[in-house]
Amino acid sequence: MTRVLLVDDHPLVRQGLRAVFGTVEDIEVVGEVSDGRETVRRTVELAPDVVLMDLQLPGLHGIEATREILARRPATAVLVLTMFEDDDTVFAAVRAGALGYLVKGAEGRDIIAAVRAAASGQPVFGAALAGRLRDWFAAPPLRERPFPQLTARELEILDRLAAGLSNTEIGRTLHLSGKTVANNVSTILTKLQVPTRTQAIVQAREAGLGRTL
């Protein structure tokens, strides 16, 4: 029996996944979590075979939660199920140790097959994602960029924060609304696990950001 912990901050998504797994006899849902920090605690407590992990979570971003889970319980496989499929997010999840990556909207049978594969230690990626990963690993090595948990857009915004720009100025240089910039800043603080933008700026400058503007 494969034991699965469902992680998503939307109750309807968790309900739908429960229904999917209810159609087979070899997968048991042992719990549901909607918060990143709670996901780590419950994984250690329940010892599931697979954590089916969303990424945009309150408390702790799913990529950071993945990293913490695998540091504390490496026997558990983390299988990402999210709406994001950009390269930065996919590669950040892989670097954090995720064994597989599915995009929301996948067929129920594909999710079931992915959970079974992850439980047996097999990497799980859709054909398109697998091709992108293959190309990425085949490319010449590059100097690893700072803060791999951030998307390219978030890193651009953090770079400008470190350069001393306000949200309004950042929005003007990147052609974004002030609200979009503010939302991204909030996500950056969550991913960096800092409470204020000042602390984020300190980390960014220590990593060499903020010098190009």
Side-chain angles (χ1 to χ4, degrees):
M1 179 71 72
T2 298
R3 304 172 74 252
V4 177
L5 178 66
L6 303 181
V7 182
D8 198 290
D9 60 344
H10 292 94
L12 287 178
V13 173
R14 300 197 305 272
Q15 181 181 339
L17 290 171
R18 269 194 176 274
V20 166
F21 295 128
T23 64
V24 295
E25 297 181 353
D26 62 325
I27 297 177
E28 175 189 7
V29 176
V30 296
E32 298 181 15
V33 189
S34 60
D35 174 271
R37 183 64 61 189
E38 181 70 4
T39 296
V40 178
R41 189 187 71 80
R42 293 282 283 169
T43 299
V44 174
E45 174 188 315
L46 296 172
D49 300 300
V50 178
V51 174
L52 194 57
M53 175 81 77
D54 189 18
L55 294 182
Q56 294 287 26
L57 299 170
L60 185 68
H61 191 270
I63 289 174
E64 291 302 318
T66 296
R67 190 173 287 113
E68 289 196 24
I69 285 170
L70 296 176
R72 299 175 65 177
R73 184 173 166 73
T76 292
V78 176
L79 178 61
V80 171
L81 179 64
T82 182
M83 62 186 293
F84 301 99
E85 56 178 329
D86 59 282
D87 287 354
D88 288 316
T89 303
V90 174
F91 299 150
V94 172
R95 283 192 293 264
L99 191 60
Y101 197 107
L102 296 175
V103 178
K104 286 182 179 178
E107 296 288 340
R109 62 178 179 273
D110 294 330
I111 296 174
I112 290 171
V115 167
R116 288 171 174 159
S120 65
Q122 300 176 38
V124 182
F125 297 95
L129 294 181
R132 282 152 56 189
L133 284 170
R134 183 176 58 251
D135 293 343
W136 183 69
F137 283 116
L142 300 174
R143 184 175 65 87
E144 186 172 352
R145 71 182 180 97
F147 310 113
Q149 69 270 42
L150 301 183
T151 66
R153 174 63 78 192
E154 290 162 355
L155 192 63
E156 284 183 318
I157 290 174
L158 180 60
D159 189 37
R160 284 158 174 77
L161 279 178
L165 274 63
S166 67
N167 284 6
T168 300
E169 292 168 328
I170 292 171
R172 188 179 304 121
T173 63
L174 295 177
H175 307 289
L176 300 172
S177 69
K179 182 177 180 180
T180 297
V181 174
N183 288 341
N184 275 274
V185 170
S186 178
T187 300
I188 290 168
L189 298 185
T190 298
K191 289 185 178 181
L192 297 186
Q193 299 183 55
V194 294
T196 67
R197 62 192 288 146
T198 299
Q199 289 174 275
I201 289 170
V202 169
Q203 284 194 22
R205 288 178 176 171
E206 289 176 348
L209 299 184
R211 300 175 182 173
T212 59
L213 299 179

